Each structure stands twice: as C-alpha cells, then as structure tokens.
Amino acid sequence: MIQINLRILILVLLSAIAVNGTSFAQIKKDKLLFGVAYYDEYMPYDRLDSDVSMMKEAGINVVRIAESTWSTMEPQDGVFDFSHIDRVLNAMNKAGISVIIGTPTYAVPTWLVKKYPDVLAITPKGPNQYGPRQNMDISNIHFREYAERAIRKMLEHVKNHPAIIGYQIDNETKSYGTSGPNVQSQFVAYMKERYPSLDSLNKIFGLDYWSNRINNWNDFPSVNGSINASLNAEFAKFQRSLVTEYLGWQAKIVREYKKPEQFVTQNFDFDWKGYSYGIQPEVDHFAAAKVLDIAGVDIYHPSQDKLTGAEISFGGDMARSMKGGQNYLVIETEAQGFPQWVPYPGQLRLQAFSHLASGADMVSYWHWHSIHNSAETYWKGLLSHDFQPNPTYQEAKTIGADFQKLSPHLANLKKQNQVAILFSNEALTAYNSFGPGTYNNVLRPMYDLLYNMNVGVDFVDPSSKEIEKYKLAIVPALYAAPDSLLQRLNRFVKNGGHIVYTFKSGFSDEHNKVRTTIQPGIIGEACGIRYSEFTDPGKIGLKNDPFLVGKADNYTEKWMELIEPTTAKVLAYYDHPAWGKYAAVTRNNYGKGVAIYIGCGTSTAITEKILETAIKSAGLWGKDQSLRFPLIVKSGINQQGKAVHYYFNYSAEPRTINYTYQKGIELISGGAISAQSKLTLPAWGFRIIEEQW
C-alpha cells in the first residue's frame, strides 16, 4: 500500500521532472492532428464502423479514448474488461486513425467508494458525495493504490498497440478543494519542512492575531476555518503542489510502459467564467507542465455573435508558454457545445485555424457525438443526437482536408514575441483574499487589449528564466512577491526593459504579509513614486481627460492609490475635490528603461491608451498595429523557415485590409499575393499568407 508523505512527494516529483521528455516535433514532424473524443461505451447502439467511416470522411486522424470510464474497465474490484478499449483501438488502427489514450482516474467507480469511503475528498463544505466526477482526494492512499493498479493493468494491456501515439494522464486535474484530516496532516509536514521553528512561523504568518498562535506542532489546527490570509495562501500553494506531484506520479508510471516515440500530456483547463477565462487558481501550470512531454489544454469560449477569438489566443499563449515556446495540443474545444454556442457558418473553420495561429499542432473536439443522457445531454458534439451529417460536421470536413493539405506549411509554427505578461499563482491567491474584484479580472482585460491591438504575448511567472529577453513586461496586480522578484524587475527596467504595473503591485511579501515600507515598496525605486494611503472613491474621472478618451470613458473605479511622484512624470491626476493633487498614472525613466504605474482601476479605453503608449515607447509598434479587432493578425515561422501570417475577421461583415509583408502564397487557395496588395476577408473568414523568398 502506498504511503504518502512530504519527502516521498518531493522525490517522486523530482524523478518525474528528471525524465527526458519527447517533443511533439520529434513525433509528428509534418502532420497536424485533427481529432475528437470518442466514447463507444456511451453509444445507445453499436455504430463504431459507421462512426469510423464518417471520421475518415471528415479528415479526423486522431481520437482520444478511455479516460472517463474506469467503472467500465474495472466493473468489480480486480475484474478487468478491456473489450471496449480493444474494439476502438482495433477499429481506429484499421482505419489509419491514431489514438491518444487517457488514464481512467478522474471518475472513481462505485465499488471503490463502497470499499473505501475515504477516497471521496473532504472539503471545507464537508464530505463529498458519490456521483460527480473529480470528487476524490488525489492524495488518499486507497485512491492511489487502486488508481495505480488500474493504470498499470490498462497500460500493460494496450502498450504494444500500434494505434497509440500518446497518453493523457488524468483529466483537467485539480486538488478539488481536498482538505480533510489526511490533507491537513500532510500540510503540517509540509510546514515543518519549510518552517522548523514555530516562533519563526508565527512571526512570518502573523499568527498572534486573534490568538491564532501555534505553540505546539501537535496543536496545528485545520486550515479550513482559518482567517489568516497568509496561512490560507500557503495552504492554496500546498494544494497546487499536490496536483503537480499527482501528475508527476502518473507520468512516471506511464513512462514505464510508453514507447520512445509516444508522448505524455495532460489537458489543463483555465479559470471558468461560463467559458475559459483566466489563470487557473488550483494548478501551477508551469510547474505541472514540467512532468509532461507536451502541454495540452482545454479551451472553451462563447460563439455566434460573441465569438472574439480572445479565449483561443489566451489559452494558446499560456499553453505555448508552459513549455518555453513549444507547440501544444488543444485536447478539448467545442464543436457545437452549449445551445448558444452552435457556430455560425464559417466559425468552426475560423476557430480551428485560430488555434493553429497561436502554435497548436492539434485541434480536438469534445466530443464526436452528442450524449443522450446523464449530465451533459445538452453539450453537443460534432454530431448531433441523430448522428447524421449536419452543417457543423460538413464544415469540419473542410477543416480536415485543409489540415491534411497544409500540414507541411502550418505544423510546428514557431513564434517569437517581445511582450510578456508576468502572472503569479501566489499573487492570484493573495489578491483574491482582499480584492477589489479578482486577479483574473485585472489580468484578462489587459491581455484582451493587447490581443485587440495585435500584439503577440507570452506568459512568464516568477520561476521563468528568460523574463529579461522581453522588451516589455505587463505586470497586473502583483500583490504578493518576494523581494528577490521585485529587485529582479527593477534590474529589468534599469537594464533597458519597459514595464507596466497595475495598482496593488509590490504590496505584500511572498507570505501575503503587507510590507512595512512606504508603498509600493521595492518597485517604488524603478517607478519613481510613493504612497501611504488608498481609497475607493467610486467612479471618478481623470483631470482634463489626459488620454483623450472622451467624457464617457474618462473614469476610474474600484481602487485609488494616492500617489506622490518622487522622480516620475505624472501622466494623469485624479479629478477629485479632495484627492486632485495625487497622481493616478505615472511614467518614470529608470536607468535605460521605463516603468509605468497605474494606481487605480482605469476604464478599458484608458487602459488601452496606456498600453499603446508603453508599446510605442518600447519600440514595438509595427505593421500589425495598423489593424484592430475584429481584424486579428497572428504570425510565426514554419518548419520550412518561412514567415506565415494569419489574418482573421471576427465579424459578420466582410473586411478589406492591406497586406503589408513581402510577396507570398495564400495557402488555402494557392493564389499569389503581392506586397502591399489588398485582401478581402469574408464574414467570419480568414486568409493565410506564406511569404516567398
């Protein structure tokens, strides 16, 4: 039986990270993957042969299977039935369709819960009940024992099957709020490793407050009831580490069976706002991705009149950044999805190629077929409930044909951006403790504005080794950060970098403890500012509309730092009878670089003007910035060494643009495009130009 403790967790994680990964380019150099999730065991009747035939007709060349049907594979304790897996593997192999097979661990069978009720997580809301997926304690010894057996039995059975190109470990893994006695005891061990002195722990976390002081390790209380933001932030960090360790544990098992040419991936998801929205609070994506060969993501987004492509771009930029610029897999995205997401004609193609433009080498739908019962009855797949060809399927056929034809030109697209957004899971947790609003509601609007201006973006986090290679860093709400990171950012500016901070940056240390210095602490040196008071005045303007956005958009809200410049130039003052002498936005020359500080919640129009100023100041305002949303430009270098430019029209009206690069070939039509020519983009349409030497 598996015993979980901190030292073992660390050793397992390190061993998983140490494994030499396999790049996707090594596995499939010239082939874009176009896929679906397929669950033969969900089908109301046997139609595997007809499904395979329809997949072939649509150009589907990969399916993912098995990750959600543990109870079908192991119907009773120790009794295994792989017939549903074998049948699909054999059918796909015969048809020349590749398979990604998932470990079946994210939904536990009834017999396991009956035998060991403790596999269900205890959360701050109480014990979980059986029924939903992802309701288990991923660190529970009984869950681990039986999950490992299930993984090994399945892999031992399928490992030599020629259809398999890769393995997906688990599914959209998170900690699921697990915080019962088992997890609390692990957390105490974790804290002992980091803070062996209780006096030091009490001081660092401010536990004297409200008599929360811990005087004996045996008295360490459950964090579930804690009012201490520092302790809660550390527990959230610990829960994220459970996810990293768990994925590393699974990856290590899979690597015992996989072949060198096969990959290990995971389908990370994002913060959810009815669709994929922002940084995932429960997973440290950059740490967890280290145990994978290839990053995979699930990206869902509004469609029809609300389709913007921003979620596709955001998720893609994050996935690409997880592995240092490596191409990634879109393991799940919608075909039809919710009723309000059934795509307009042309939108499915627009979406698919938008994924490629951000660096995806696979686009796969959740899922092939619509479900006829249970929880996701009205989440529609590529096929509707009648399984007949529909307009979405017919459009998918054109995507499959184009992917096959254009793979040599579009696969493995490399992107080099000069703008980075610095995000932090620790800052997210800390900021969300106090607001205003949420961290993602600060970060995501700034990303969207850069997207709308056609500014390519990478993501970096405090662990990133190459922050300094970028010319411009956007730093939203860096509320909690160690001195070393803030000093590093000061050096970044001093050595010639440009940076844009928002309010509440640099405010507390890495333990979510507010600094005792005049704010914004260490970064005040590079920003050339100071403040000691802040307030929430409601909605007020900036004096004399300094960014020329007009009366309706000249406002700030939610937060207001009363900034005094030391060396900074004031770009905007508050228009307020009491606070009018204080700066709202500043710009400071520091060494060879420039730091802009936004001390309040600015309107979208003002934020856009500030970012435009920063981009121009960094010398990054180029050809693509002549276009704005709904006209989106994405570029990269293909594996033939040629520049490829995607032009997307995210609107219901045709648009005409000027093509500003050197002559090329329009890859869809094969037509020649001359430099400075005009391109017409149909409604919800796109063009792809490959430059010719």
Side-chain angles (χ1 to χ4, degrees):
M1 188 172 292
I2 299 169
Q3 297 295 323
I4 305 295
N5 62 45
L6 180 65
R7 292 186 184 278
I8 290 177
L9 299 190
I10 294 172
L11 289 172
V12 170
L13 177 57
L14 291 177
S15 66
I17 292 173
V19 174
N20 290 326
T22 304
S23 78
F24 188 59
Q26 290 174 307
I27 300 161
K28 292 288 180 184
K29 292 182 183 296
D30 298 312
K31 186 178 181 181
L32 292 169
L33 295 179
F34 188 46
V36 290
Y38 185 70
Y39 298 100
D40 181 59
E41 53 272 41
Y42 293 171
M43 286 295 185
Y45 59 89
D46 182 3
R47 51 171 291 111
L48 180 57
D49 290 343
S50 58
D51 282 331
V52 170
S53 177
M54 291 182 72
M55 288 179 190
K56 290 290 289 182
E57 189 177 352
I60 299 296
N61 58 18
V62 64
V63 298
R64 51 186 283 256
I65 68 170
E67 89 274 4
S68 62
T69 52
W70 184 349
S71 63
T72 306
M73 186 190 80
E74 190 179 3
Q76 298 177 47
D77 185 358
V79 177
F80 291 90
D81 179 1
F82 300 107
S83 58
H84 65 293
I85 296 175
D86 292 341
R87 147 185 172 86
V88 175
L89 283 173
N90 292 335
M92 296 302 166
N93 188 54
K94 182 178 179 180
I97 297 174
S98 300
V99 176
I100 298 171
I101 193 164
T103 58
T105 50
Y106 84 117
V108 295
T110 54
W111 58 260
L112 179 58
V113 175
K114 184 177 180 180
K115 186 172 185 177
Y116 293 111
D118 63 341
V119 302
L120 296 179
I122 298 173
T123 76
K125 296 179 181 179
N128 280 341
Q129 300 299 308
Y130 185 81
R133 61 180 183 171
Q134 301 171 316
N135 56 359
M136 65 283 192
D137 174 1
I138 60 173
S139 69
N140 177 270
I141 59 173
H142 300 125
F143 169 72
R144 287 293 185 95
E145 178 183 5
Y146 286 87
E148 179 170 354
R149 185 179 73 177
I151 294 168
R152 290 187 181 278
K153 288 286 188 180
M154 184 185 76
L155 295 185
E156 182 65 35
H157 184 81
V158 304
K159 65 180 180 179
N160 293 319
H161 202 286
I164 299 172
I165 61 169
Y167 294 90
Q168 174 192 309
I169 50 175
D170 207 65
N171 182 290
E172 295 183 348
T173 310
K174 293 177 279 294
S175 66
Y176 315 127
T178 185
S179 57
N182 167 51
V183 175
Q184 296 294 337
S185 65
Q186 291 181 63
F187 180 59
V188 173
Y190 165 97
M191 294 295 280
K192 280 184 177 179
E193 288 277 343
R194 285 158 177 74
Y195 309 99
S197 165
L198 274 174
D199 285 340
S200 175
L201 172 67
N202 285 308
K203 182 175 182 180
I204 290 170
F205 285 79
L207 292 172
D208 286 311
Y209 188 79
W210 283 1
S211 197
N212 278 193
R213 182 179 179 86
I214 301 168
N215 295 306
N216 187 307
W217 283 109
N218 293 327
D219 297 335
F220 206 112
S222 168
V223 182
N224 283 342
S226 177
I227 52 80
N228 185 284
S230 299
L231 192 60
N232 288 335
E234 192 68 33
F235 187 66
K237 183 178 180 180
F238 167 74
Q239 288 177 308
R240 289 191 292 269
S241 75
L242 291 179
V243 177
T244 302
E245 182 277 325
Y246 174 67
L247 292 176
W249 172 78
Q250 284 217 17
K252 186 173 184 290
I253 295 172
V254 172
R255 286 196 172 94
E256 294 179 31
Y257 298 88
K258 85 173 191 70
K259 298 182 185 303
E261 68 274 14
Q262 295 169 332
F263 59 81
V264 177
T265 189
Q266 216 270 337
N267 56 329
F268 294 118
D269 65 355
F270 298 95
D271 192 23
W272 188 254
K273 196 176 180 179
Y275 52 90
S276 304
Y277 186 68
I279 305 301
Q280 172 57 255
E282 295 187 58
V283 183
D284 185 339
H285 279 151
F286 278 35
K290 290 178 181 178
V291 307
L292 308 174
D293 298 320
I294 303 164
V297 285
D298 294 351
I299 301 174
Y300 294 105
H301 51 81
S303 190
Q304 300 179 13
D305 293 330
K306 296 181 179 179
L307 178 64
T308 66
E311 287 75 36
I312 293 172
S313 183
F314 177 91
D317 287 344
M318 175 60 75
R320 193 184 62 252
S321 299
M322 287 181 202
K323 300 289 287 183
Q326 181 180 308
N327 299 85
Y328 60 94
L329 310 178
V330 178
I331 294 180
E332 290 183 21
T333 191
E334 74 223 45
Q336 298 184 75
F338 295 133
Q340 67 270 27
W341 286 359
V342 175
Y344 290 157
Q347 287 189 339
L348 198 73
R349 283 178 57 79
L350 177 64
Q351 293 162 195
F353 283 90
S354 294
H355 287 295
L356 300 188
S358 287
D361 277 341
M362 179 175 92
V363 177
S364 181
Y365 299 116
W366 175 264
H367 29 65
W368 169 248
H369 49 280
S370 298
I371 304 297
H372 293 76
N373 55 5
S374 197
E376 293 186 311
T377 302
Y378 289 97
W379 182 281
K380 294 179 70 178
L382 191 60
L383 298 185
S384 299
H385 292 95
D386 56 15
F387 300 123
Q388 299 303 307
N390 59 40
T392 304
Y393 170 79
Q394 297 294 356
E395 193 166 310
K397 288 167 64 175
T398 72
I399 299 169
D402 283 335
F403 273 26
Q404 182 176 5
K405 179 180 72 172
L406 299 177
S407 280
H409 302 273
L410 302 182
N412 203 26
L413 188 73
K414 297 304 178 188
K415 301 174 71 67
Q416 288 191 342
N417 295 315
Q418 298 184 81
V419 178
I421 292 179
L422 173 64
F423 77 98
S424 164
N425 284 101
E426 288 72 29
L428 181 154
T429 303
Y431 182 92
N432 287 356
S433 297
F434 299 107
T438 66
Y439 178 87
N440 278 323
N441 280 338
V442 180
L443 181 148
R444 178 59 196 274
M446 298 188 82
Y447 176 88
D448 287 356
L449 287 171
L450 295 168
Y451 169 77
N452 290 347
M453 287 189 279
N454 289 304
V455 175
V457 171
D458 291 341
F459 284 92
V460 294
D461 82 342
S463 72
S464 298
K465 305 298 184 185
E466 296 188 321
I467 295 174
E468 288 75 13
K469 77 176 185 180
Y470 296 95
K471 290 186 177 180
L472 172 62
I474 310 298
V475 185
L478 188 61
Y479 182 76
D483 290 359
S484 58
L485 176 59
L486 302 183
Q487 290 161 353
R488 182 183 180 188
L489 293 175
N490 278 357
R491 291 193 299 272
F492 169 77
V493 179
K494 191 171 186 177
N495 292 332
H498 292 241
I499 202 163
V500 178
Y501 288 104
T502 74
F503 57 93
K504 298 194 84 166
S505 289
F507 202 82
S508 72
D509 66 14
E510 66 269 34
H511 303 292
N512 205 1
K513 189 173 183 180
V514 175
R515 289 184 163 86
T516 58
T517 57
I518 292 177
Q519 295 294 351
I522 292 168
I523 64 172
E525 179 182 346
C527 292
I529 61 170
R530 56 185 286 165
Y531 72 90
S532 60
E533 292 186 305
F534 48 83
T535 186
D536 181 359
K539 188 173 180 179
I540 65 168
L542 297 178
K543 196 173 293 182
N544 300 321
D545 188 12
F547 297 104
L548 304 177
V549 296
K551 184 176 181 180
D553 290 317
N554 182 39
Y555 66 87
T556 67
E557 58 182 351
K558 297 180 181 177
W559 196 250
M560 182 181 188
E561 293 167 355
L562 306 183
I563 295 171
E564 301 176 68
T566 54
T567 59
K569 175 184 177 182
V570 177
L571 299 183
Y573 288 96
Y574 297 113
D575 190 4
H576 190 279
W579 316 122
K581 69 178 182 178
Y582 294 108
V585 185
T586 61
R587 180 183 189 276
N588 190 54
N589 294 320
Y590 180 71
K592 299 177 182 178
V594 175
I596 292 176
Y597 189 90
I598 307 170
C600 51
T602 48
S603 71
T604 299
I606 292 174
T607 308
E608 181 178 22
K609 290 288 188 179
I610 294 170
L611 291 176
E612 181 178 321
T613 297
I615 294 162
K616 289 177 176 177
S617 177
L620 300 177
W621 197 262
K623 297 177 180 179
D624 292 343
Q625 282 64 61
S626 63
L627 300 175
R628 294 288 178 100
F629 179 84
L631 298 173
I632 295 298
V633 186
K634 296 276 188 177
S635 299
I637 304 297
N638 68 14
Q639 51 199 359
Q640 299 169 12
K642 295 180 179 180
V644 175
H645 308 286
Y646 288 82
Y647 293 88
F648 299 106
N649 177 16
Y650 276 93
S651 77
E653 300 294 330
R655 304 281 179 131
T656 299
I657 64 170
N658 290 322
Y659 172 68
T660 56
Y661 292 93
Q662 67 183 43
K663 67 179 183 179
I665 300 294
E666 204 288 306
L667 292 177
I668 299 290
S669 67
I673 302 294
S674 60
Q676 303 303 318
S677 63
K678 292 189 179 297
L679 297 178
T680 298
L681 305 179
W684 309 110
F686 61 94
R687 307 285 290 275
I688 311 171
I689 316 298
E690 179 186 73
E691 288 187 22
Q692 301 297 301
W693 300 313

